[in-house]
């Protein structure tokens, strides 16, 4: 059963969303502050977190940052802030989506379903665009039109990270942390990721100036644009 952790200090919002989510058959875990949210995230390992930015103890942004140090769990932020800069900042620190208050509970349900589809656990083999691009996670091998690509460890990790969750936006900080978590360290700032992305595009794209797979999300970072084959399963 899908487990969703809802974090909000407004009891009415928790009750309304809980009623809608239970109709979908989802198991609901609730928290009214940031400390409890972090504790319950570790205890219950939910499939998704609905996180309010305005909490009574620590901010939702800080909760998001702390969770991102430990997990890739999908996060939808609830925010009363609608300024573009605030919303971009939410994505940059690790949120996958956001909903501005006031909102329709049905909208939240739709967004949760969409994000759950996008963030399914990756399989050992990923195939895209009618098997034009294939990633074999067991062999750490990438095939393009049947030909093996000579990727560096960093390029492979960047590609696999983004391709595992197509459509998800990764900031440069996110990608840098993924590379470092793999035991590969390199000097430089977050912008060093741009150089690796540029080199990866030269190897994977027909036209690196008009990429099909590694897409730039201006002001935010990068995302994977390949179309997953359905079903995208082990073969």
């Amino acid at each position: 059963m899908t487990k969703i952790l809802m974090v909000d200090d407004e009891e009415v919002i928790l009750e309304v969303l809980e009623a809608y989510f239970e109709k979908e058959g989802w198991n609901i875990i609730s928290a009214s502050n940031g400390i409890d949210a972090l504790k319950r995230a570790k205890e219950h390992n939910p499939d998704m977190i609905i996180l309010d930015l305005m909490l009574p103890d620590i901010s939702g942004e800080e909760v998001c940052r702390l969770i991102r140090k430990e997990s890739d769990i999908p996060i939808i932020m609830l925010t009363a802030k609608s300024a573009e800069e605030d919303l971009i900042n939410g994505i940059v620190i690790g949120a996958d989506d956001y909903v501005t208050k006031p909102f329709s509970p049905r909208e939240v349900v739709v967004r949760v379903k969409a994000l759950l589809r996008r963030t399914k656990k990756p399989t050992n083999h990923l195939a895209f665009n009618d098997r034009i691009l294939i990633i074999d996670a067991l062999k750490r091998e990438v095939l393009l039109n049947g030909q093996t690509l000579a990727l560096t460890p960093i390029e492979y990790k960047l590609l696999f990270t983004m391709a595992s969750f197509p459509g998800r936006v990764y900031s440069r900080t996110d990608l840098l942390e993924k590379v470092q978590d793999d035991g590969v360290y390199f000097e430089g700032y977050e912008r060093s990721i741009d150089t690796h992305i540029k080199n990866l595009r030269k190897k994977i794209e027909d036209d690196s100036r008009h990429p099909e797979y590694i897409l730039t999300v201006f002001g935010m970072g990068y995302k994977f644009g390949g179309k997953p084959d359905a079903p995208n399963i082990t073969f």
Side-chain angles (χ1 to χ4, degrees):
M1 178 181 291
T2 298
K3 293 184 293 183
I4 298 179
L5 171 60
M6 297 193 302
V7 187
D8 200 306
D9 63 336
E10 296 185 47
E11 186 174 346
V12 173
I13 289 179
L14 290 175
E15 291 177 350
V16 170
L17 288 180
E18 184 173 352
Y20 274 81
F21 287 1
E22 287 182 344
K23 288 182 180 179
E24 299 294 331
W26 299 333
N27 183 25
I28 308 305
I29 306 152
S30 62
S32 59
N33 60 66
I35 298 299
D36 284 347
L38 294 170
K39 180 180 178 181
R40 291 174 186 176
K42 287 186 177 182
E43 289 177 347
H44 298 280
N45 189 27
D47 299 292
M48 180 175 294
I49 297 176
I50 310 296
L51 177 62
D52 185 30
L53 290 186
M54 304 296 291
L55 297 174
D57 49 359
I58 59 178
S59 70
E61 288 97 337
E62 183 62 18
V63 173
C64 184
R65 289 191 188 95
L66 292 172
I67 289 174
R68 275 291 167 262
K69 290 182 179 180
E70 306 289 338
S71 172
D72 277 336
I73 182 173
I75 297 175
I76 295 179
M77 284 188 167
L78 300 180
T79 175
K81 303 176 181 179
S82 59
E84 181 180 8
E85 183 177 348
D86 293 321
L87 300 180
I88 289 176
N89 182 60
I91 298 296
V92 168
I93 64 176
D96 298 276
D97 199 357
Y98 59 84
V99 177
T100 56
K101 296 181 178 180
F103 56 80
S104 162
R106 294 176 61 187
E107 177 190 0
V108 179
V109 169
V110 169
R111 287 180 180 268
V112 169
K113 287 182 176 179
L115 189 53
L116 286 173
R117 286 196 300 268
R118 294 205 323 258
T119 56
K120 286 182 179 179
K121 296 296 182 181
T123 61
N124 290 329
H125 294 75
L126 302 174
F128 302 91
N129 295 20
D130 294 326
R131 295 173 65 83
I132 290 177
L133 176 68
I134 297 174
I135 302 174
D136 186 333
L138 295 179
K139 297 180 180 178
R140 296 179 70 88
E141 183 177 74
V142 178
L143 302 176
L144 183 66
N145 291 314
Q147 300 296 315
T148 301
L149 297 181
L151 301 183
T152 67
I154 289 176
E155 290 165 357
Y156 172 83
K157 184 63 176 179
L158 291 173
L159 176 62
F160 182 76
T161 294
M162 290 187 284
S164 295
F165 301 105
R168 173 177 172 175
V169 178
Y170 288 87
S171 70
R172 292 174 178 84
T173 300
D174 292 334
L175 295 175
L176 181 60
E177 290 176 352
K178 293 295 183 182
V179 171
Q180 291 176 333
D181 286 344
D182 199 39
V184 182
Y185 293 82
F186 58 92
E187 296 181 355
Y189 297 97
E190 296 160 7
R191 291 285 176 177
S192 299
I193 289 295
D194 295 342
T195 299
H196 295 290
I197 291 292
K198 180 180 179 181
N199 293 335
L200 177 59
R201 280 175 171 162
K202 289 179 179 179
K203 298 177 180 180
I204 199 173
E205 305 285 1
D206 290 335
D207 183 354
S208 60
R209 294 172 300 178
H210 301 89
E212 180 179 6
Y213 295 107
I214 309 301
L215 307 181
T216 299
V217 182
F218 293 102
M220 298 185 186
Y222 298 98
K223 68 178 180 179
F224 185 78
K227 182 180 179 181
D229 292 348
N232 210 340
I233 59 176
T234 303
F235 53 85

